[in-house]
Amino acid sequence: MSEWLKNTPKRKHNWGKIALGVYCTLVLTFLMLPLLVVFPISFSSARYLQFPPPGFSLQWYENYLNTPSWISATITSLQVGVGTTLLATTLGTMVAFSLVRGTYPGKAWVDRLVAAPIVVPNIIIAVAIYGLFAELKLIGSWYGVMAGHTVYAIPFVVLVVSAALRNFDVSQEHAAMGLGASRLRAIWTVTLPQIKPAIISGAFLAFITSFDELIIALFLSGSNMTLPKKMFENIISEIDPTISAVSVLQIIMVGIVLLLSQRLGAGVSPIKS
Amino acid sequence: MTNDTDLRLEKAFKAYGTVKALDHVDLSVRNGELLTILGPSGSGKTTLLRVVAGFAEPDEGRVLLQERDITFLPPAKRDIGMVFQNYALFPHMNVAENVSFPLQMRNMAKVEIKKRVTWALGIVELGEYAERLPRQLSGGQQQRVAFARAIVFDPRILLLDEPFGALDRKLREQIQLEVRRLQQQLKLTSLFVTHDQEEALILSDRIAVMNAGRIEQLGTPHEIYERPINRFVADFIGISNLISGVIEGQDRSVAVVRSKDGQLFLVAADAIPTQGTNVIVLIRPERLVLLDDGAERSNRLSGTVAEVIYLGQSEKLRIDIGGGRDMLMHRQSRLGGVQLEVGSTVNIGWTPEDAHLIVEDTVGQP
């Protein structure tokens, strides 16, 4: 028998693949474990944060709903979140267009600096804006927080939308203009509908970014608290399980937004065929 | 501007850095004709198209569309129908919406839009596909939608930017002829840009051969193929046998050319350059005949067969004539007669009328 025919190779176990699976499971567990604590505590019958909870009760959810300061914080957060989403999505999309389509001096710098708000620590942005807004008497207004959050959220929109725009076939826009559309109308009727999934994803990202942002809100919101700030104050002063009830509600809210984003973020592919 | 000219470029100049994409180009497209801009990539043909469509402005010169100066008019205001290389159909709109797009941009009444879309889809025989999305159509059908969309608003002229490149060969020929038929039927003045010389020969009323930002030659397909003005055009269109030489004398309308290795050739020409002028003799491969079949020709060469490519209806021969030079010959395949094999010695010939004289001084730099 020749050397070639001697050995038939056997199937090999792919140890690398197995190790990767184990690693991923560990990471996921590590990330999910806090939820296993937060959820039960929110239904606790105890008066203090105590784990495992001694009994079942909805008192903390009741407490949340019956405390005006929690409700007003929630409303403020929603207000700020929606406002931030609208502003950051509009401005971010415009920046993305300028970066992908524009030719102007300093564009390379804009391109490099556009992600700066993500890279620069939040506290620095917060302090800087605080200094400015204190002079402008914007501290304590929900729209002041919204402005601060918009600065922070714009890069997310820019990154997502400009990626889609780079993949978008510009000859579509040319075709629209050649067929009688002004530039704006071409963008509105041809480009935007096709990159809509990316814009929606960017918008949801902006919302989530704002909705659980603490540091900027801590400096800017004053007595007009957002939900994360109210939670923070609650931890410092009282520590009762209301905070875990609020956390659960917040997690559910963000979860819904993420789900929506996945659903609506799909659809017509923005990538050229 | 004469009334039978629809589009005119006057001394159009555009440079990108040091590269002249358009080097003072003059061009007139006549009413109802299909004029092809033919050139290799980088010859400036795409820039020319962009300048006409309005996606680029020339640095100098003017563009006139039906006697109006449109040099700086935005694309949307030009009323030019355009078929793009990749069709550029809008994937989020169905066929009817795509075709109605230019009408909607013109704020036309709904009834009129419906009438026109039905008309345009009827012309390209896609009436039943109105509700389909572009991605549900074949390449050929998408091409026809793009054509319908380009003509539905009754454009002043039609621009075609290499519109057949994405189709496979067989379909391409069919669609080409279809587009040509519609273009003639609708009497649409058309400017067609391509790098495919075969396509240009099939479709065009006239061809402008472009190279390095200039139009090297403008003429009918027949003129371009049979009477190329310089080496570039001769090389770019079809396959050429080129023999360099010097004018030795003339006998009425026949020039006598002495080649570099001393052979004399006769070439029929209308205007014969003075003695001593450097010239190139062009003989197309299909004009060459095999003298061994018993034919008589006044120009002759002998050599050995270096390569035979059998194509079914015809065969291509490469004949080594010595001195490291080849002649390419294209002949109908036949049963019987002299069968050629690699290594056979052959005599080939052609008449003075089969050859074309190119004056070397006007040689284009490829």
Side-chain angles (χ1 to χ4, degrees):
Chain A
M1 208 195 290
S2 79
E3 198 62 30
W4 174 249
L5 293 171
K6 252 185 198 160
N7 285 316
T8 307
K10 298 274 185 306
R11 183 200 300 275
K12 283 215 175 88
H13 286 290
N14 195 340
W15 293 111
K17 220 172 180 179
I18 293 167
L20 182 66
V22 171
Y23 173 75
C24 289
T25 313
L26 279 175
V27 171
L28 186 70
T29 313
F30 185 73
L31 289 173
M32 287 300 160
L33 267 177
L35 296 184
L36 292 181
V37 177
V38 169
F39 272 76
I41 285 184
S42 74
F43 295 106
S44 172
S45 58
R47 294 208 50 225
Y48 301 100
L49 286 172
Q50 184 187 342
F51 192 82
F56 179 84
S57 151
L58 287 174
Q59 58 175 322
W60 305 114
Y61 288 93
E62 262 177 59
N63 187 40
Y64 162 74
L65 290 170
N66 291 329
T67 312
S69 64
W70 277 114
I71 297 301
S72 80
T74 309
I75 290 170
T76 305
S77 259
L78 286 173
Q79 233 172 350
V80 170
V82 171
T84 300
T85 305
L86 293 177
L87 259 181
T89 307
T90 311
L91 295 173
T93 303
M94 288 159 83
V95 173
F97 264 93
S98 99
L99 287 180
V100 178
R101 294 288 160 73
T103 43
Y104 50 87
K107 190 181 114 172
W109 282 103
V110 176
D111 202 8
R112 267 170 239 159
L113 288 176
V114 80
I118 301 180
V119 181
V120 174
N122 266 9
I123 190 143
I124 294 183
I125 299 176
V127 171
I129 298 179
Y130 182 81
L132 178 68
F133 280 14
E135 260 176 58
L136 298 173
K137 306 236 179 319
L138 282 171
I139 305 295
S141 60
W142 68 269
Y143 45 86
V145 183
M146 176 186 76
H149 279 179
T150 301
V151 170
Y152 184 49
I154 280 178
F156 292 100
V157 178
V158 174
L159 292 179
V160 177
V161 174
S162 62
L165 213 48
R166 281 201 179 90
N167 279 324
F168 180 78
D169 185 1
V170 73
S171 71
Q172 296 249 333
E173 235 167 73
H174 283 161
M177 289 194 280
L179 292 167
S182 64
R183 176 164 229 129
L184 268 181
R185 212 163 164 194
I187 288 171
W188 190 256
T189 52
V190 171
T191 313
L192 288 185
Q194 291 185 64
I195 61 165
K196 196 166 72 183
I199 295 176
I200 289 174
S201 297
F204 283 131
L205 268 178
F207 181 81
I208 294 168
T209 305
S210 161
F211 197 66
D212 45 339
E213 201 286 333
L214 169 64
I215 298 168
I216 294 172
L218 210 52
F219 277 78
L220 301 184
S221 64
S223 59
N224 203 353
M225 286 183 211
T226 64
L227 201 51
K229 184 175 180 187
K230 170 75 183 160
M231 289 162 85
F232 186 69
E233 302 238 316
N234 182 269
I235 291 171
I236 291 173
S237 54
E238 304 170 46
I239 312 200
D240 67 34
T242 310
I243 188 162
S244 49
V246 176
S247 297
V248 167
L249 292 174
Q250 204 186 14
I251 289 166
I252 289 171
M253 172 92 186
V254 171
I256 289 171
V257 169
L258 279 175
L259 260 174
L260 278 178
S261 154
Q262 267 178 1
R263 271 289 157 76
L264 303 174
V268 182
S269 163
I271 294 154
K272 57 183 157 186
S273 49
Chain B
M1 182 179 272
T2 49
N3 287 335
D4 69 341
T5 303
D6 261 352
L7 175 75
R8 181 138 98 189
L9 272 76
E10 286 180 358
K11 302 242 175 315
F13 178 87
K14 184 160 184 71
Y16 293 104
T18 56
V19 180
K20 290 172 185 167
L22 289 180
D23 194 356
H24 301 97
V25 170
D26 285 305
L27 180 70
S28 296
V29 185
R30 293 175 195 147
N31 197 338
E33 81 170 331
L34 191 152
L35 189 145
T36 298
I37 308 291
L38 175 65
S41 58
S43 59
K45 60 185 194 300
T46 304
T47 304
L48 191 150
L49 192 84
R50 287 168 56 80
V51 163
V52 173
F55 300 131
E57 285 175 3
D59 301 335
E60 293 166 32
R62 300 200 298 165
V63 184
L64 294 124
L65 180 61
Q66 291 173 351
E67 306 192 26
R68 181 180 174 196
D69 185 340
I70 59 160
T71 317
F72 301 107
L73 195 69
K77 301 264 163 80
R78 295 190 179 203
D79 276 340
I80 291 177
M82 188 154 173
V83 181
F84 284 79
Q85 204 163 6
N86 50 6
Y87 318 140
L89 295 178
F90 307 134
H92 60 300
M93 299 182 191
N94 67 27
V95 168
E97 286 163 344
N98 262 286
V99 176
S100 69
F101 185 88
L103 306 175
Q104 257 146 21
M105 291 304 122
R106 284 164 177 75
N107 300 317
M108 215 170 254
K110 270 200 177 135
V111 189
E112 179 69 10
I113 289 181
K114 196 161 181 218
K115 209 171 90 188
R116 288 211 184 204
V117 170
T118 310
W119 168 78
L121 286 180
I123 276 197
V124 296
E125 293 168 7
L126 281 177
E128 292 147 41
Y129 294 84
E131 305 296 322
R132 300 265 187 104
L133 287 173
R135 65 165 171 269
Q136 296 168 318
L137 302 178
S138 70
Q141 289 167 335
Q142 290 183 21
Q143 163 74 56
R144 275 142 69 189
V145 175
F147 187 80
R149 189 177 66 175
I151 60 163
V152 70
F153 58 100
D154 197 13
R156 292 171 197 278
I157 58 165
L158 184 65
L159 301 185
L160 302 150
D161 182 12
E162 310 223 9
F164 309 112
L167 303 172
D168 62 62
R169 193 184 168 86
K170 208 162 180 186
L171 188 61
R172 187 190 314 191
E173 281 171 13
Q174 183 195 329
I175 303 259
Q176 280 168 356
L177 294 176
E178 207 173 297
V179 165
R180 175 65 163 153
R181 183 176 54 75
L182 290 172
Q183 181 265 332
Q184 284 174 327
Q185 184 187 324
L186 302 169
K187 297 190 174 60
L188 268 168
T189 308
S190 304
L191 191 65
F192 172 44
V193 166
T194 185
H195 66 274
D196 185 329
Q197 40 114 354
E198 200 178 326
E199 197 165 273
L201 292 173
I202 295 172
L203 290 176
S204 316
D205 290 307
R206 289 192 301 159
I207 298 173
V209 182
M210 267 193 96
N211 178 36
R214 280 172 295 127
I215 291 176
E216 299 277 0
Q217 187 173 4
L218 175 66
T220 64
H222 188 266
E223 284 165 358
I224 297 279
Y225 185 79
E226 302 290 354
R227 306 250 167 273
I229 203 167
N230 57 31
R231 183 190 283 268
F232 176 82
V233 178
D235 257 344
F236 193 69
I237 314 287
I239 296 165
S240 312
N241 293 303
L242 301 172
I243 300 172
S244 299
V246 180
I247 295 281
E248 181 87 0
Q250 73 175 89
D251 178 12
R252 268 164 297 177
S253 62
V254 175
V256 181
V257 177
R258 179 180 291 280
S259 76
K260 295 237 165 87
D261 47 12
Q263 264 180 297
L264 292 179
F265 296 105
L266 302 178
V267 186
D270 296 334
I272 294 166
T274 54
Q275 195 173 351
T277 310
N278 288 325
V279 292
I280 304 166
V281 179
L282 161 70
I283 314 109
R284 296 291 185 187
E286 65 275 13
R287 299 278 187 271
L288 290 175
V289 295
L290 208 58
L291 302 182
D292 307 292
D293 280 339
E296 280 297 329
R297 295 291 186 269
S298 48
N299 295 303
R300 42 174 62 228
L301 279 170
S302 56
T304 50
V305 176
E307 197 176 357
V308 182
I309 300 167
Y310 180 69
L311 297 170
Q313 57 177 350
S314 63
E315 58 186 351
K316 284 181 175 171
L317 305 165
R318 188 162 61 82
I319 295 155
D320 183 350
I321 55 165
R325 285 177 304 134
D326 290 329
M327 294 291 276
L328 297 168
M329 177 172 165
H330 201 174
R331 68 167 196 164
Q332 298 297 310
S333 55
R334 68 203 67 187
L335 296 168
V338 181
Q339 294 300 316
L340 294 174
E341 283 165 27
V342 174
S344 359
T345 306
V346 289
N347 293 293
I348 51 175
W350 65 93
T351 68
E353 289 75 26
D354 286 331
H356 170 63
L357 199 65
I358 297 169
V359 178
E360 182 84 84
D361 296 341
T362 57
V363 164
Q365 294 303 315

